[in-house]
Amino acid sequence: MTSPSIDDLVSHTGITVLYPFQLELRELARAAPGSDVLLEAPTGSGKTLAFLLVVFDDLARAGPPFGPPAIVVITPTRELAQQADRVIRPLARGQGRRVALLQGGVAFDPQLRNIARGADLVVATPGRLLDMCSRGQVDLSSVSSVVIDEADRLADLGFVDDVSEILGFIPSTARTLLVSATLNGPVRLLLEKLRPDPIAVRVDGDVERAPEGLGRGTVETPHWRVEITRERLRDDLGRLLDAAGRTIVFVRTRHAADRWAGWINDDGREAVTLHGALSTAARRAAIDAMRLGDATVLVATDLASRGLDLSAVSLVVHLERSDDETDYVHRSGRTGRAGLPGVVVNLLRKEQWRAAVAMEQRLGVVADDASLDDVVTHLGEVTAKLRAIRPLTPWRPPLGRTTWRGGQ
């Protein structure tokens, strides 16, 4: 029986229309299968699907299933690796291919067994993949395409050298896809790894034209400043949470995340935390609790600001500003995704107002002042729209292969 095409599998996820840049990138890559790819695209723009279309086209030209890895996707964090795995795995299964997830913080042996039984695609964090390559536990000599995803985040976390070493285990003839929101700073060291004249596609970051607003504010995803006082902050946040559905509250430190999650739970709401001090199992449990509806509030540090894809998040709250102001855009991009409505709220004390406005101007963010009452009213409307959307249900095609219908 012929496996369904990648286009058929993608359509079963509910995606029937692709962005122009996704189509352009795919066609350029098809026309030049020996060229590297440079994709500069901000958070929320659909870059994951863009590079997946390219690598699955490349995979179709690879050897038979269950051989040594043909495709490698490198992501900066365990959460992003797990998220990429969730997107890639059903598409791969639909084509009779296997995926191995290699990540730090969990046992080696199960990952070694997955590689040993044959894995056509590998999704990995750089530290674990480099370790296994150095020990001779992973053979990358048959790789035809490697994706360096969230390259700017990899650089921020100091993984440029690790990625460079990993590329040394991969044939020089393999296609490299470098995907990044920005190409500044240490990312340029990775740019030097690309062959001359790569296919280069840039997603326009203009607020009026960019898909989903890219965390900068649109009509469907307004950004509002709301004045608060220390004395009223807990009560005011509670009003927002009561009006919203799925919510992410961003703070600066893990201690603040634990403290605020505790208060939110004490007030009778269901909250979980996500920060760097949690184990892999605890992080996965927090994300699963949000996806399954066991919790409605995620209190997170900037660990969750990039790449985390929780569907139908109605509200992002900037409770505490990040040390890196560019994280504002990435944080905000967690709502208003896939064409759905959302709201971004900045809770500010009076003395923080001027600095917040100046930051927005530097980032090109469209934001307005609003009263708490107005935000609560609008949130009620947004939440009602999101709840009216039919929830995701599994779809099982022939031969027990699993993909999805209805969205991500």
Side-chain angles (χ1 to χ4, degrees):
M1 182 176 178
T2 303
S3 297
S5 69
I6 186 62
D7 299 273
D8 290 337
L9 293 171
V10 168
S11 69
H12 282 308
T13 70
I15 299 173
T16 57
V17 178
L18 298 177
Y19 288 128
F21 88 90
Q22 294 168 331
L23 295 169
E24 177 187 7
L25 180 66
R26 188 184 193 185
E27 290 307 312
L28 290 171
R30 279 177 165 176
S35 296
D36 289 340
V37 172
L38 174 60
L39 174 58
E40 186 179 6
T43 182
S45 61
K47 62 181 182 290
T48 300
L49 180 57
F51 75 68
L52 284 182
L53 290 171
V54 174
V55 299
F56 272 97
D57 283 344
D58 289 347
L59 184 62
R61 296 188 292 270
F66 312 149
I71 306 295
V72 173
V73 179
I74 304 172
T75 70
T77 67
R78 287 171 280 180
E79 288 72 28
L80 294 177
Q82 292 160 13
Q83 182 170 288
D85 177 69
R86 277 191 294 271
V87 175
I88 293 171
R89 191 173 295 269
L91 299 176
R93 284 177 177 168
Q95 294 200 314
R97 300 284 186 169
R98 286 178 180 161
V99 182
L101 174 60
L102 309 180
Q103 56 179 326
V106 296
F108 262 93
D109 289 346
Q111 298 181 19
L112 288 174
R113 287 195 293 271
N114 287 338
I115 286 292
R117 65 195 285 263
D120 306 287
L121 300 96
V122 167
V123 181
T125 53
R128 176 54 59 93
L129 181 57
L130 179 58
D131 192 8
M132 296 178 78
C133 287
S134 300
R135 298 183 185 200
Q137 296 166 327
V138 179
D139 178 11
L140 301 184
S141 62
S142 297
V143 169
S144 59
S145 296
V146 55
V147 179
I148 305 171
D149 191 19
E150 300 278 353
D152 53 334
R153 184 64 167 161
L154 281 164
D156 289 344
L157 295 174
F159 287 129
V160 169
D161 289 341
D162 285 358
V163 173
S164 297
E165 287 192 55
I166 291 168
L167 293 178
F169 290 94
I170 293 172
S172 60
T173 54
R175 186 203 295 275
T176 299
L177 296 93
L178 182 67
V179 185
S180 184
T182 61
L183 299 176
N184 299 320
V187 175
R188 296 194 173 276
L189 298 176
L190 292 174
L191 285 174
E192 296 174 1
K193 303 295 181 181
L194 300 183
R195 289 171 288 190
D197 301 318
I199 295 166
V201 173
R202 182 179 186 273
V203 178
D204 195 337
D206 182 75
V207 173
E208 295 299 321
R209 290 180 286 159
E212 305 177 27
L214 306 177
R216 291 187 171 89
T218 63
V219 172
E220 280 296 300
T221 308
H223 290 221
W224 282 321
R225 311 178 203 98
V226 176
E227 185 174 347
I228 50 91
T229 63
R230 293 182 185 275
E231 295 76 19
R232 293 282 310 168
L233 178 55
R234 184 168 168 180
D235 290 339
D236 289 345
L237 177 62
R239 285 189 62 194
L240 291 173
L241 299 181
D242 286 342
R246 190 173 290 172
T247 300
I248 302 179
V249 177
F250 281 104
V251 294
R252 292 180 62 251
T253 68
R254 67 190 190 191
H255 301 295
D258 290 336
R259 182 173 66 252
W260 276 101
W263 287 340
I264 292 168
N265 284 311
D266 289 344
D267 290 340
R269 305 174 188 90
E270 297 295 331
V272 291
T273 60
L274 184 63
H275 54 68
L278 297 175
S279 66
T280 298
R283 296 183 196 184
R284 186 182 299 117
I287 295 171
D288 287 346
M290 289 291 289
R291 284 201 168 97
L292 296 172
D294 296 330
T296 57
V297 183
L298 178 67
V299 186
T301 62
D302 287 318
L303 179 70
S305 66
R306 301 188 187 215
L308 180 65
D309 192 5
L310 288 172
S311 63
V313 172
S314 61
L315 173 64
V316 162
V317 178
H318 296 276
L319 186 58
E320 296 176 349
R321 292 172 59 188
S322 173
D323 290 331
D324 181 354
E325 66 180 27
T326 60
D327 280 329
Y328 177 93
V329 175
H330 295 285
R331 288 177 169 192
S332 302
R334 299 310 101 204
T335 188
R337 300 174 71 82
L340 298 177
V343 176
V344 177
V345 173
N346 298 276
L347 295 179
L348 301 167
R349 297 190 303 277
K350 190 173 184 179
E351 63 270 20
Q352 298 173 316
W353 212 269
R354 180 175 295 180
V357 172
M359 176 199 70
E360 292 158 7
Q361 292 174 343
R362 287 191 295 271
L363 295 175
V365 170
V366 179
D368 295 299
D369 300 343
S371 69
L372 186 65
D373 289 339
D374 288 341
V375 176
V376 167
T377 298
H378 184 76
L379 266 173
E381 297 170 358
V382 168
T383 304
K385 289 180 182 178
L386 293 176
R387 286 175 177 164
I389 297 172
R390 185 172 62 86
L392 176 68
T393 56
W395 174 73
R396 299 188 180 278
L399 305 181
R401 295 171 181 158
T402 301
T403 184
W404 294 332
R405 177 167 54 195
Q408 293 188 47

